[in-house]
Each structure stands twice: as structure tokens, then as C-alpha cells.
Amino acid sequence: MYAVIRTGGKQYRVAEGDVVRIEKISGDIGAEVSFTEVLLLGGSESPKVGQPTVAGAKVVGKVLAQDKHRRVLHFRKEKEGWTRRRGHRQSYTEVKVTAISG
């Protein structure tokens, strides 16, 4: 069974046992989180599509890590001889999906 969930403005296709990196959410390492915005449930006899979400469906996961991605650099050079180098590290939460119900 798999599900499509929406969190942090993005959509993720998850199955039981998957480890996904999502936009940062609050929660300590080892804490349990649940996602109620389930857009689709599939893998059984026929998929359940929500309008916009599937009623009563829930995905439960466990927080494995709170960390930051690799640094992304933005380098700019102009004709006049000046340069600018800026970086950014996006925060993420690593979640292991433990249960899908619906």
C-alpha cells in the first residue's frame, strides 16, 4: 500500500518502511508524527482519490533526523570586476513511514 501526502507545500509518494526527507517540521528525534493531508491511497484493489483529501486516511512516521542539506552556492560576476558569492543550506526532517491507514 502506498499514499501521496502533502506537507511543506510539496507532495510525496510514500510506502510503509520508506525514509523521506521533507521540509522541516517541529519534533524531536524519535518522536512520532502523523500526516492527515493524504491525497491518494493506492496499492489495494482500487485507488482512493481525495477531493482534495481522503477522509479518515492517515500516515504515521517516526522522526529520524533534523538536519540541513548540502550548501548550494550562488556565484555572480560582473564586467566591472566585482564578484558576489552567497550560499544557502535548506533545513529538512528525515522521517521513516511506519503505518498507512485509511
Side-chain angles (χ1 to χ4, degrees):
M1 181 178 239
Y2 68 91
V4 176
I5 61 171
R6 178 172 55 202
T7 178
K10 298 181 174 110
Q11 296 177 6
Y12 301 91
R13 182 187 188 272
V14 296
E16 214 167 298
D18 285 355
V19 176
V20 290
R21 288 184 174 179
I22 60 173
E23 292 293 317
K24 185 170 176 73
I25 57 173
S26 60
D28 295 330
I29 296 173
E32 197 171 87
V33 291
S34 63
F35 303 99
T36 55
E37 285 195 70
V38 179
L39 306 175
L40 181 133
L41 284 174
S44 57
E45 61 280 342
S46 64
K48 293 181 187 175
V49 180
Q51 296 180 4
T53 60
V54 178
K58 186 166 108 173
V59 174
V60 178
K62 181 180 175 184
V63 176
L64 298 179
Q66 298 275 14
D67 207 357
K68 289 184 176 183
H69 285 287
R70 287 184 52 215
R71 189 167 186 201
V72 177
L73 291 176
H74 174 248
F75 184 77
R76 202 171 134 193
K77 184 176 177 184
E78 292 289 333
K79 286 183 184 177
E80 291 83 26
W82 63 271
T83 59
R84 174 177 288 159
R85 182 173 169 243
R86 292 186 174 174
H88 175 74
R89 291 185 71 190
Q90 185 69 28
S91 299
Y92 69 85
T93 302
E94 197 169 69
V95 176
K96 181 173 185 170
V97 177
T98 56
I100 298 174
S101 64

